[in-house]
Amino acid sequence: MTPATDAYLWSLVAVTGAVTLLLRAFPFLIFGSGRRPPRLVDYLGRVISPAAIAMLTVYCFCSYFRDVRLQDHLYGIAELSAGLVVVGLQWWRRNPLLSILAGTVVYMVMVQNFL
């Protein structure tokens, strides 16, 4: 493989930036005139984020627990504890940012200090 030139890398950054800008602006270009979006768009806006988080959670737990070593007496405690914190906080406070941050902190503290 040949090394990438500076011009190639800058053009790659420019194209990526332009595509990102257009994707972000697309809903405003279509629905920005004060028109109400179709019911399907409203529905997808409500369900896609929770569905994506649920899918990623299932994927992470399934891929992590695939190589279970039952001889480790504390195997999975940090992951399950962090997951319970996320679910509990989300159920109680309905704040995804708080839930994700708290679950991350619980997991990292347990892994770094106790396991």
Side-chain angles (χ1 to χ4, degrees), residues 4 7-9 20 27-28 30 38 41 47 49-50 58-60 65 76 78 89-90 94-95 98 100 102 105 113:
Y8 173 76
L9 293 176
T20 301
F28 297 103
I30 292 179
V41 173
V47 300
S49 291
V58 169
Y59 172 77
C60 289
F65 288 113
L89 275 174
Q90 185 60 28
R94 304 258 187 243
N95 185 340
L98 175 67
I100 292 168
V105 167
N113 296 320

Side-chain angles (χ1 to χ4, degrees), residues 16-30:
T16 304
V19 168
T20 301
L21 180 67
L22 288 174
L23 286 175
R24 300 283 177 135
F26 185 69
F28 297 103
L29 295 173
I30 292 179

Side-chain angles (χ1 to χ4, degrees), residues 26-39 41-42:
F26 185 69
F28 297 103
L29 295 173
I30 292 179
F31 304 114
S33 63
R35 293 185 304 154
R36 180 132 176 94
R39 289 187 337 190
V41 173
D42 280 339

Side-chain angles (χ1 to χ4, degrees), residues 52-80:
I53 290 171
M55 181 179 61
L56 288 171
T57 302
V58 169
Y59 172 77
C60 289
F61 276 116
C62 289
S63 65
Y64 184 80
F65 288 113
R66 179 179 30 192
D67 301 321
V68 172
R69 297 177 313 273
L70 294 176
Q71 65 271 18
D72 294 344
H73 65 285
L74 294 177
Y75 186 79
I77 296 296
E79 293 80 7
L80 292 175

